[in-house]
Amino acid sequence: MWRASRRVPSRIKCLGQGRPTSRAQQPCRNYAEEGADKSAKAAQASSSGGVGRTILTATLAVGAGVGGLTVYAKTSPEFRKTLEGNIPYAREYLGAVLDRGPKMPDLGLGGVVDKAKDMVGMGKKKEEQLGSFLPKLSKSKADEEEKQRKAAADTAAQAVPAAADHRPLPVEESEVATPTDDKPREILAEPIAFGVSAIMGRPQSTPKKPVPEPPPAQLPDEKPPAAEKMEQSTAEAVAFAVSVGTDEPMPVAAKEPSAAHKESATKRPAKEKKPVGVEKPEETAAAAIAASMDEPLPPESKSEPKAKKKAEDKPATKKKALKEKAEDTAAAAVAAALDQPFATEARETPMRTPEEVQAKLLEKEIDDLADRAATLAIIQHELQDLKRTATSAIHAQEEAAHATKMHSEQIKHAMDEDTSGPLGKEEQWQAVTGAKEAQVDALKQAEATAAAARENLEKVRAVIKQGKSSLSEPDQEILSAEEELGKLAYELETAVGKVSKAQADAQVMQEYQALVEQGRKQFKKELESIMPDVKLGGWRGKLSEDELNSLIAHAHRRIEQLQSQLAEQQLLEKSRMDDALARQRTEDEKETLALLSRELERQKRELALAQDLRIAQARDQYEAEMRTQLRRQAGAHSEHLQDVLRVQEQELSSKHQAEMHDALMDERDRYQVKLNEAMARLRGVEAAIEGRADIEREARKAQELLIACETLKRLINTGNEEAASWEERRIPLSREVNTVKEAAGDSKFFQTLLGSVPQQAMEAGVFPEDSLRQRFLRVKRVCRRVAMIDETGGTLFQFFVSYLQSLLLVDAGRRSLPPGKEVDPKKLDTFTLLSYAEHSLENGDLEQAARFMNQLKGEPRKVASDWLEEARLTLEARQAAQALAAAAAAVGLGNLV
Amino acid sequence: MAAEVRSEDELGKKWDRCLADTIVKMGGGLAVGVVFSVFLFKRRPWPVAFGTGVGLGMGYSNCQHDFRNPNLLHGTFVKKIEKGEK
């Protein structure tokens, strides 16, 4: 029937059909079609996209629901908690959505990162600090300088304490000259070793050139900067030397290095200051001295005394100047070196006095060292020079002697007319002249070298003398130097003597030659006078007999004359020979004397040297012995002191003990007396108090009991006052009951009373009357509604009828029990009972109300059973509490003071 | 089951149970009726009504039974809780 076709009605009855009319029209209801439409629509909906639409709608709804819940959870944490509690996985979801993304677990990386940052910062700080200390092997000059400065300070500090005590020498040298870890120090170790060994007087195995060339084999990399450094220092030293010796011409032909030094000096004028002030004092002194010593002597002075004087002056002045300079540099170096470590180590704190003193001591030491260095360096160098010059001089002398001898030989040879030999006369005389020239040259050379050597000798002697005077004690080296000096002088003198002897021989030979020449000339003259046209050697043609006879006669006459002359000469010669012998003897004597004196001197010198040596040795020995003795004495003294102190300590301690004991005993006695007094008094007081205490205790117990009972009563009456609703005003009584139990103690009466408190009251608690009253209203309502139902239950219809009855029966207020009138139990029905009970409750009579409620029957009774139970409990508890309170009051009243 | 049911509230609870039960049964009947109506009876309305009525009747009957025999106990399933779980 609902599939009927649509029919247009004849009359327009509803809206939608035809034209709207003025009549109030209802919209058309097409029941039949509605269902069809509905079902068609449903079918349509289900077929054409309806599923999708449904799904979409459902999703939207679910999403909206969830979103709403989430938003609400965000606002209300209680709601969130509820959700999390009830819906599984809600906590995670809410946490994810509301807590801004998932929380990363704390891996402890934050701490690590912070620690790393700290360490980086600390590392950076340390780098800065140590940057100035650590030796950085970089090529930059600043780093080099800093390094060397530090090295200078270190080695100066090392050398100074090493030199402070006179330990055996090898230790010091090894200490100082040992190559350290730093590479640049190795470069500097060489000059340092040289200078220091100069200080110590030990000659170097290989006497180095004054310009300390860095050992090339070791460090090629850092040679250039180091070499430059050396050059700078020596340039500076040389410049200074120039300034010192301005009156002397600066030798240009000194060395290439010196020129290079000057160049380098001019090139880097700025850097002079820095390295100078910081270089090692010994090194500068040694270098300066060496540089100065290498200047060859001025060629002017040739004569000995002048040379001697000059030699003395020059080294003296030079030495003084050098010493001054060395001192200055040493002072500057010390100051710089000392300042440096102090400045770098403690910039804020000023120099403390012990270190000032130490600095001063160091200065002095370094001064001394500089002195020694200067002196010994000078001496050494002079000695070397002297040796050289002396050997060369000796050589030259020997050569000169040889040349002279040769010359005389040649002359003799030439003079000898018999032995013409292979050479003709002309060649012979030429040979003679050659020899003469050679001799002249050799002599010149010899003289020059001898003069030089002599000058050097004087110089060295002067220097040694000065050194000996300046230094406190004669050094081993100085003594050995003196020895050498003496030896060299001796050799020189002997060579010179040889030369002079040769020269004397030559002179004799020359005289002989002259005489021979003279004789020959004379003869020639006489011959010429007699026979003027006859030339010697020019025998041309034949001579006449007269000429021959006259020549022979002349010759005979001449021969006679000559013979007589010869006899004369022989006599003269004899006498002259005697004279000559005598002279020679005297000369010999003189010479022997001279030789003797020389020998004596030499011996004396040697002896003096030996003596000095022995003295030095003896001194050392004595000093060592003295030191040991002193040490022994110090040890003995300290031991003695210790013993004495120990004995004293014992004495004092024993005395102290005795005194302490006495004082203690006194104190104890006094204390004992006081104590006895106090004890006696105390005992009296105690007795009094105890007598009192019992009374008080009893009183207090009674009070406690009373209070506890009152508390219990009140609690039963009021319940939990902080409760929100009447339902929660139950409070367990166990605590208060226990308190009462404790307060009651052993009294049986109280125990019994306490036992009467129902167990449930103790555990669960009781409702106060107010709660029961409030509860009663509800109970009453329910009871009224089920008044018609009995224990066996009822049908729904009965329930409905009973409900209707309760609605219809008006509650006309609380009926009060007529006073004195008896109540007929049969006449009581639910409503009456309820109203009676309510009335009694209103009047505060819970007991009566309970009695009334107990009369209920059927379903109302079941409904009210709980209430009744509670009421009963309350009543019981209240009764017990009241009894307790009364008893406690009775007890307490008696004990109330 | 946390708090005990008070005697005066017992009846109320009983009524609640009853009502809920009836509604559920009615719904069930409705659903069954709809299904039957759609699939078997060509979308006629009477299965729906019938089903609903059946549900109502069942609920009423249960209520009645419950009220008539008030001393019969209603048991509930208690989920076994392991130690440590909430």
Side-chain angles (χ1 to χ4, degrees):
Chain A
M1 47 192 166
W2 51 271
R3 254 202 283 191
S5 57
R6 222 181 267 200
R7 274 181 303 194
V8 179
S10 54
R11 244 180 358 130
I12 299 164
K13 284 188 192 151
C14 52
L15 278 171
Q17 283 183 355
R19 303 181 311 255
T21 61
S22 56
R23 233 180 346 172
Q25 283 174 338
Q26 288 182 346
C28 292
R29 298 170 200 253
N30 297 326
Y31 296 104
E33 289 154 8
E34 258 188 33
D37 279 346
K38 222 196 256 179
S39 56
K41 272 194 202 132
Q44 274 183 3
S46 64
S47 60
S48 68
V51 175
R53 232 182 287 171
T54 320
I55 288 169
L56 186 67
T57 319
T59 318
L60 279 174
V62 165
V66 166
L69 284 175
T70 317
V71 166
Y72 191 58
K74 188 169 175 182
T75 54
S76 158
E78 283 175 10
F79 183 67
R80 182 173 170 174
K81 274 199 194 54
T82 322
L83 278 182
E84 283 173 3
N86 290 332
I87 302 173
Y89 298 111
R91 193 188 296 273
E92 284 85 358
Y93 163 73
L94 284 170
V97 166
L98 296 180
D99 294 335
R100 293 273 171 241
K103 266 196 200 149
M104 289 295 289
D106 194 37
L107 300 173
L109 288 178
V112 169
V113 166
D114 286 334
K115 246 189 246 172
K117 272 194 200 152
D118 285 337
M119 282 175 71
V120 165
M122 260 191 342
K124 274 203 187 128
K125 254 189 282 175
K126 265 201 182 147
E127 262 186 53
E128 284 166 11
Q129 271 182 2
L130 295 173
S132 59
F133 289 127
L134 281 177
K136 279 189 257 187
L137 296 176
S138 65
K139 301 263 169 76
S140 64
K141 285 222 175 62
D143 290 337
E144 285 277 347
E145 283 167 20
E146 252 187 343
K147 255 182 294 178
Q148 282 167 1
R149 208 175 299 149
K150 197 78 174 97
D154 282 356
T155 46
Q158 264 186 17
V160 160
D165 61 338
H166 305 285
R167 294 224 159 261
L169 300 169
V171 176
E172 287 160 313
E173 194 184 37
S174 70
E175 247 183 64
V176 173
T178 315
T180 57
D181 293 335
D182 300 333
K183 279 193 184 176
R185 282 200 199 174
E186 279 182 358
I187 296 168
L188 303 174
E190 289 293 339
I192 293 167
F194 171 70
V196 171
S197 62
I199 292 167
M200 303 310 158
R202 192 176 285 264
Q204 285 278 318
S205 55
T206 58
K208 291 195 169 55
K209 288 300 259 172
V211 176
E213 291 154 358
Q218 289 185 1
L219 300 145
D221 286 342
E222 296 176 67
K223 189 178 155 184
E228 282 170 1
K229 270 253 167 292
M230 300 309 136
E231 285 175 345
Q232 282 175 31
S233 70
T234 42
E236 203 274 338
V238 162
F240 174 81
V242 167
S243 67
V244 164
T246 46
D247 49 344
E248 293 157 13
M250 194 60 193
V252 175
K255 306 157 295 289
E256 314 94 329
S258 88
H261 293 172
K262 270 189 264 184
E263 280 177 53
S264 60
T266 50
K267 260 191 232 167
R268 304 183 201 90
K271 292 263 177 86
E272 272 182 341
K273 287 281 175 224
K274 222 171 168 201
V276 164
V278 183
E279 286 295 340
K280 282 108 346 236
E282 295 89 7
E283 199 220 295
T284 44
I289 292 156
S292 67
M293 286 311 150
D294 270 349
E295 297 170 12
L297 299 165
E300 311 156 356
S301 61
K302 277 234 172 88
S303 51
E304 250 197 37
K306 212 167 157 197
K308 203 185 214 169
K309 187 163 165 293
K310 268 236 155 136
E312 272 186 346
D313 284 347
K314 226 171 74 128
T317 51
K318 258 220 179 115
K319 186 167 168 243
K320 217 188 299 176
L322 282 167
K323 204 169 130 197
E324 279 172 19
K325 194 213 163 208
E327 276 182 7
D328 289 341
T329 52
V334 161
L338 284 174
D339 279 340
Q340 283 286 330
F342 288 148
T344 50
E345 283 168 14
R347 288 189 199 275
E348 280 85 41
T349 61
M351 276 220 270
R352 294 156 275 172
T353 30
E355 277 164 353
E356 255 181 35
V357 168
Q358 205 182 12
K360 283 214 180 80
L361 280 171
L362 272 172
E363 259 188 64
K364 236 193 233 171
E365 297 272 10
I366 287 177
D367 273 353
D368 287 341
L369 277 175
D371 275 355
R372 285 183 93 95
T375 321
L376 285 166
I378 290 170
I379 289 171
Q380 272 305 105
H381 205 77
E382 295 273 9
L383 211 60
Q384 300 299 338
D385 240 12
L386 179 66
K387 253 196 228 160
R388 239 184 307 125
T389 45
T391 41
S392 72
I394 289 166
H395 201 66
Q397 305 291 337
E398 280 178 5
E399 270 208 28
H402 185 69
T404 316
K405 244 186 246 158
M406 281 302 298
H407 175 61
S408 348
E409 285 280 320
Q410 289 290 335
I411 290 179
K412 211 163 53 171
H413 212 66
M415 295 288 288
D416 234 338
E417 303 201 3
D418 296 334
T419 61
S420 347
L423 299 161
K425 272 289 174 253
E426 292 294 321
E427 284 104 6
Q428 283 186 347
W429 285 112
Q430 266 177 13
V432 166
T433 36
K436 175 88 182 161
E437 278 173 14
Q439 186 222 4
V440 159
D441 284 337
L443 267 175
K444 237 190 278 184
Q445 177 88 359
E447 273 219 34
T449 46
R454 229 172 256 126
E455 206 176 299
N456 261 348
L457 206 78
E458 289 309 319
K459 228 195 305 182
V460 171
R461 200 171 283 146
V463 158
I464 285 182
K465 208 173 17 177
Q466 204 171 41
K468 254 167 112 168
S469 65
S470 72
L471 295 176
S472 51
E473 57 213 44
D475 209 341
Q476 202 82 347
E477 298 302 323
I478 292 183
L479 297 173
S480 63
E482 266 196 276
E483 253 187 77
E484 286 238 12
L485 180 76
K487 232 192 310 182
L488 287 168
Y490 181 68
E491 278 178 16
L492 192 68
E493 293 306 317
T494 39
V496 168
K498 257 194 250 168
V499 168
S500 55
K501 193 153 134 281
Q503 266 185 330
D505 286 344
Q507 193 73 16
V508 165
M509 187 52 71
Q510 273 191 350
E511 280 180 4
Y512 173 64
Q513 185 197 15
L515 273 173
V516 166
E517 269 303 316
Q518 203 184 5
R520 197 176 285 151
K521 271 200 196 112
Q522 184 92 13
F523 186 61
K524 210 160 99 181
K525 234 189 283 179
E526 284 177 3
L527 218 57
E528 275 186 7
S529 64
I530 300 172
M531 296 173 9
D533 47 340
V534 175
K535 290 196 187 66
L536 254 168
W539 304 99
R540 281 195 311 265
K542 273 195 185 169
L543 293 162
S544 59
E545 263 185 63
D546 289 341
E547 281 178 354
L548 274 169
N549 285 342
S550 63
L551 194 65
I552 286 167
H554 177 75
H556 273 294
R557 239 184 286 138
R558 189 83 175 121
I559 284 168
E560 277 171 31
Q561 192 198 3
L562 281 172
Q563 272 181 348
S564 62
Q565 217 175 8
L566 189 65
E568 259 181 53
Q569 282 291 344
Q570 271 185 342
L571 278 169
L572 209 67
E573 203 53 47
K574 193 154 177 291
S575 72
R576 227 182 269 156
M577 184 64 80
D578 287 335
D579 283 343
L581 272 172
R583 233 184 312 141
Q584 186 67 24
R585 204 177 294 124
T586 48
E587 271 202 29
D588 271 349
E589 274 184 18
K590 246 191 279 176
E591 251 200 57
T592 39
L593 273 171
L595 195 74
L596 203 72
S597 69
R598 266 212 301 274
E599 281 290 325
L600 266 169
E601 257 202 46
R602 195 175 67 83
Q603 287 279 347
K604 238 187 277 180
R605 263 203 304 267
E606 276 178 16
L607 277 171
L609 276 169
Q611 191 182 11
D612 285 337
L613 210 82
R614 235 178 282 136
I615 286 173
Q617 279 178 1
R619 180 169 290 147
D620 285 337
Q621 200 185 342
Y622 291 150
E623 274 209 28
E625 214 176 295
M626 180 157 233
R627 215 175 287 126
T628 46
Q629 293 299 337
L630 278 172
R631 227 180 282 139
R632 229 181 271 163
Q633 193 197 8
H637 178 65
S638 75
E639 273 185 32
H640 172 68
L641 267 178
Q642 270 182 10
D643 285 339
V644 164
L645 279 172
R646 209 181 307 130
V647 164
Q648 256 188 4
E649 185 195 339
Q650 281 175 358
E651 262 179 57
L652 282 173
S653 75
S654 71
K655 220 192 293 182
H656 176 69
Q657 289 275 358
E659 275 176 20
M660 274 259 295
H661 185 73
D662 286 342
L664 220 82
M665 296 310 288
D666 280 341
E667 257 323 298
R668 204 173 287 166
D669 287 341
R670 241 178 291 149
Y671 182 69
Q672 194 73 26
V673 163
K674 271 196 220 151
L675 196 67
N676 287 339
E677 272 181 36
M679 286 295 290
R681 225 182 299 148
L682 189 67
R683 256 181 234 116
V685 168
E686 263 184 25
I689 284 176
E690 253 169 48
R692 192 90 190 138
D694 288 336
I695 300 168
E696 294 261 323
R697 208 180 303 130
E698 290 296 315
R700 198 176 329 117
K701 260 187 17 189
Q703 274 176 18
E704 276 177 16
L705 185 61
L706 183 63
I707 288 167
C709 292
E710 287 292 319
T711 315
L712 183 63
K713 198 161 84 167
R714 197 180 67 80
L715 189 66
I716 290 169
N717 282 338
T718 57
N720 190 6
E721 285 162 349
E722 295 152 18
S725 72
W726 63 264
E727 291 170 338
E728 293 161 17
R729 286 182 75 178
R730 264 211 296 207
I731 189 163
L733 305 176
S734 50
R735 204 157 53 134
E736 276 70 16
V737 167
N738 283 335
T739 318
V740 173
K741 213 183 279 188
E742 281 167 17
D746 299 335
S747 166
K748 248 202 180 140
F749 175 61
F750 279 100
Q751 297 298 338
T752 321
L753 274 179
L754 282 167
S756 75
V757 174
Q759 191 63 25
Q760 199 191 347
M762 299 250 280
E763 287 165 16
V766 291
F767 280 104
E769 199 172 315
D770 289 337
S771 318
L772 288 170
R773 210 179 295 158
Q774 282 178 9
R775 191 174 168 181
F776 180 76
L777 294 174
R778 184 169 161 73
V779 168
K780 181 180 127 180
R781 197 161 8 111
V782 175
C783 284
R784 279 166 68 88
R785 283 195 197 142
V786 295
M788 237 166 134
I789 318 283
D790 59 356
E791 304 89 37
T792 55
T795 60
L796 277 177
F797 181 66
Q798 279 177 347
F799 270 97
F800 174 63
V801 169
S802 166
Y803 179 66
L804 207 61
Q805 184 194 28
S806 78
L807 283 180
L808 291 173
L809 270 178
V810 172
D811 186 18
R814 303 160 208 101
R815 233 191 281 175
S816 66
L817 191 63
K821 197 173 169 200
E822 279 182 3
V823 175
D824 185 8
K826 285 194 190 74
K827 270 218 194 131
L828 292 169
D829 64 343
T830 312
F831 297 96
T832 331
L833 279 168
L834 285 173
S835 64
Y836 279 156
E838 193 180 348
H839 177 72
S840 348
L841 264 184
E842 288 290 322
N843 289 343
D845 195 354
L846 183 61
E847 201 181 327
Q848 191 74 315
R851 278 198 209 111
F852 279 127
M853 292 301 277
N854 205 17
Q855 303 299 318
L856 282 172
K857 290 189 177 50
E859 186 68 27
R861 187 189 183 79
K862 226 197 300 182
V863 164
S865 62
D866 267 355
W867 186 92
L868 197 56
E869 193 61 39
E870 289 291 331
R872 199 176 291 137
L873 273 175
T874 306
L875 287 168
E876 280 182 21
R878 209 197 296 174
Q879 187 185 39
Q882 276 173 349
L884 278 169
V891 168
L893 215 59
N895 282 333
L896 216 57
V897 184
Chain B
M1 290 279 282
E4 281 178 11
V5 180
R6 296 213 183 88
S7 58
E8 61 261 28
D9 299 329
E10 218 180 279
L11 271 179
K13 278 220 158 34
K14 213 177 251 187
W15 275 112
D16 289 340
R17 268 204 308 277
C18 198
L19 199 64
D21 188 41
T22 308
I23 289 172
V24 164
K25 284 189 166 55
M26 270 173 66
L30 181 80
V32 169
V34 162
V35 164
F36 267 68
S37 159
V38 163
F39 289 118
L40 292 176
F41 291 107
K42 298 176 205 160
R43 306 200 177 180
R44 292 212 181 103
W46 65 264
V48 179
F50 180 70
T52 312
V54 162
L56 180 64
M58 284 200 290
Y60 182 89
S61 170
N62 274 347
C63 267
Q64 181 119 303
H65 182 257
D66 206 4
F67 276 112
R68 267 224 190 115
N69 309 312
N71 301 317
L72 288 177
L73 294 171
H74 292 268
T76 50
F77 282 110
V78 176
K79 186 178 161 191
K80 188 170 159 193
I81 297 173
E82 297 285 327
K83 225 182 183 180
E85 275 183 18
K86 264 204 258 189

